[in-house]
C-alpha cells in the first residue's frame, strides 16, 4: 500500500513539473516567451514542411485594449450549464489547471473572482492571445508581474467556441 502511495505522489509530482515547465517562463537567452503564437497572430502563416508554396497570409489580430479594459464584468447570472461543463473539461485538457485554480493563486491568478472583475472581451483575448495581452494590455502586464513574469500559454491554442466555454466555466 505504501509503495502505491509513493508511486502516486511521484506521478503527481512529475505531472506538476511538466505542467509548470509548459507554463512558458521567458527564455533568458532570447527574451521570447513560450510558444503561444498561432497562425492568426502572425502576419503570414508558415508553409507546411511538405508544401513548397507559400501559405496564405492570416488575418492580423486586432484587440481594442482600451475598450476591453472598460467592459462590465461578465458576472454569474444566466450561466449555460452545458457550455460550462464543456469549459470544465477544457480547463483540464488545455492544462489551465497547471497554473490556475479557483479560490487560491497558483502560478497564475486565482480564477474565483475573475467573472466579477473582467468582461467577456478581455477574458476571450486573454485566453486566445495571452502573449499579445501581456505585451499590450496594462491589466495583463500587471498580472504577469504578479505571476513572477511567467507567460501564460495555451497548448494547441483555443478556438472561439472553446474560449466561450472556458469563460462560461470561469463564471461558475
Amino acid at each position: 500500500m505504501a509503495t502505491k502511495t509513493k508511486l502516486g505522489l511521484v506521478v503527481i509530482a512529475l505531472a506538476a513539473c511538466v505542467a509548470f515547465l509548459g507554463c512558458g517562463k521567458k527564455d533568458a537567452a532570447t527574451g521570447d516567451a513560450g510558444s503561444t503564437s498561432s497562425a492568426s497572430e502572425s502576419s503570414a502563416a508558415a508553409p507546411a514542411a511538405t508544401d513548397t508554396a507559400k501559405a496564405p497570409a492570416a488575418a492580423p489580430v486586432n484587440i481594442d485594449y482600451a475598450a476591453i479594459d472598460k467592459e462590465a464584468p461578465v458576472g454569474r447570472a444566466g450561466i449555460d450549464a452545458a457550455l460550462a461543463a464543456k469549459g470544465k473539461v477544457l480547463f483540464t485538457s488545455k492544462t489551465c489547471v497547471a497554473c490556475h485554480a479557483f479560490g487560491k493563486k497558483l502560478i497564475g491568478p486565482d480564477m474565483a473572482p475573475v467573472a466579477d472583475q473582467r468582461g467577456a472581451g478581455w477574458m476571450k483575448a486573454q485566453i486566445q492571445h495571452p502573449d499579445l495581452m501581456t505585451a499590450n494590455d496594462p491589466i495583463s502586464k500587471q498580472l504577469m508581474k504578479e505571476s513572477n513574469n511567467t507567460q501564460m500559454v495555451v497548448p494547441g491554442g483555443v478556438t472561439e467556441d472553446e474560449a466561450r466555454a472556458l469563460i462560461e466555466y470561469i463564471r461558475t
Side-chain angles (χ1 to χ4, degrees):
M1 185 66 157
T3 304
K4 285 184 180 179
T5 303
K6 285 181 183 177
L7 180 60
L9 291 174
V10 169
V11 169
I12 291 170
L14 286 173
C17 288
V18 169
F20 178 75
L21 292 173
C23 282
K25 199 74 154 153
K26 283 192 174 187
D27 183 320
T30 65
D32 290 340
S35 177
T36 59
S37 297
S38 66
S40 66
E41 292 174 22
S42 61
S43 60
T50 58
D51 186 13
T52 56
K54 281 192 170 188
V61 175
N62 294 314
I63 300 171
D64 185 347
Y65 301 99
I68 63 175
D69 285 350
K70 293 177 185 170
E71 288 179 335
V74 292
R76 300 178 192 283
I79 292 172
D80 179 332
L83 191 58
K86 289 178 186 177
K88 183 176 183 178
V89 171
L90 288 166
F91 198 79
T92 300
S93 69
K94 294 288 185 180
T95 68
C96 306
V97 295
C99 298
H100 297 285
F102 291 84
K104 65 180 178 178
K105 181 186 183 320
L106 296 179
I107 295 164
D110 176 2
M111 293 285 95
V114 173
D116 298 319
Q117 297 172 333
R118 308 281 175 252
W122 187 93
M123 292 170 70
K124 179 181 168 292
Q126 184 65 38
I127 291 168
Q128 289 192 290
H129 308 289
D131 55 339
L132 294 178
M133 290 291 284
T134 55
N136 300 292
D137 179 67
I139 295 169
S140 294
K141 286 179 183 183
Q142 181 59 39
L143 290 170
M144 188 166 161
K145 283 181 188 176
E146 293 170 9
S147 298
N148 199 26
N149 290 322
T150 302
Q151 175 63 55
M152 180 175 145
V153 296
V154 183
V158 175
T159 67
E160 292 275 331
D161 289 340
E162 289 172 335
R164 286 183 38 241
L166 285 163
I167 291 167
E168 203 67 6
Y169 173 59
I170 292 167
R171 292 179 62 220
T172 64

